[in-house]
Amino acid sequence: MKSELGLRPIYLHKEIRAEGHLFITVLAYQAIQVLRRKLRGHGFNGSWSTLRRIFAGQLRVTATFKQKDGRTLHVRKTTTAEPQLRQLYEALGLSASPGHIQKLVI
């Protein structure tokens, strides 16, 4: 599972942490399989590593501006999805612009 998920080995010394890590790994693997199954229904047969590469092309970025009154404005926005990512979003019934623009003045 870890090789397909692209995770590095983690050595845990406490049993409860190992159980938690195993639970999260199995949960992530199941989520990936559901995602891939749904995309296969729309003609996409790529591997998880291909999906990761495509999804990694979209980011949430924060721009920070100093205002004249000394306060700082932080604007957080999602970048525009590339065409291949847009196709995946459409197949999954999701918005190509996850999140919304957030503004914070400090």
Side-chain angles (χ1 to χ4, degrees):
M1 273 192 267
K2 285 187 171 192
S3 60
E4 184 168 357
L5 293 173
L7 299 174
R8 61 180 173 74
I10 296 177
Y11 303 100
L12 302 167
H13 300 288
K14 293 187 178 182
E15 186 175 339
I16 191 141
R17 289 182 183 159
E19 289 173 3
H21 182 74
L22 181 60
F23 175 75
I24 294 297
T25 302
V26 170
L27 191 62
Y29 187 77
Q30 287 295 85
I32 288 167
Q33 295 311 313
V34 168
L35 179 72
R36 289 180 64 201
R37 191 174 314 117
K38 190 165 185 177
L39 289 173
R40 263 195 303 273
H42 291 274
F44 181 86
N45 293 312
S47 66
W48 173 239
S49 60
T50 301
L51 283 172
R52 282 180 48 197
R53 182 184 49 77
I54 294 169
F55 280 114
Q58 189 173 35
L59 305 170
R60 285 285 280 174
V61 294
T62 302
T64 303
F65 306 94
K66 270 289 197 200
Q67 296 183 311
K68 290 180 181 179
D69 62 5
R71 297 184 303 166
T72 304
L73 171 65
H74 302 279
V75 180
R76 189 163 179 85
K77 184 180 181 207
T78 304
T79 60
T80 303
E82 296 291 324
Q84 195 174 21
L85 180 55
R86 283 185 179 277
Q87 290 175 344
L88 294 179
Y89 280 139
E90 286 173 18
L92 296 169
L94 299 172
S95 168
S97 298
H100 56 281
I101 297 175
Q102 295 175 330
K103 296 178 183 178
L104 176 66
V105 179
I106 300 175

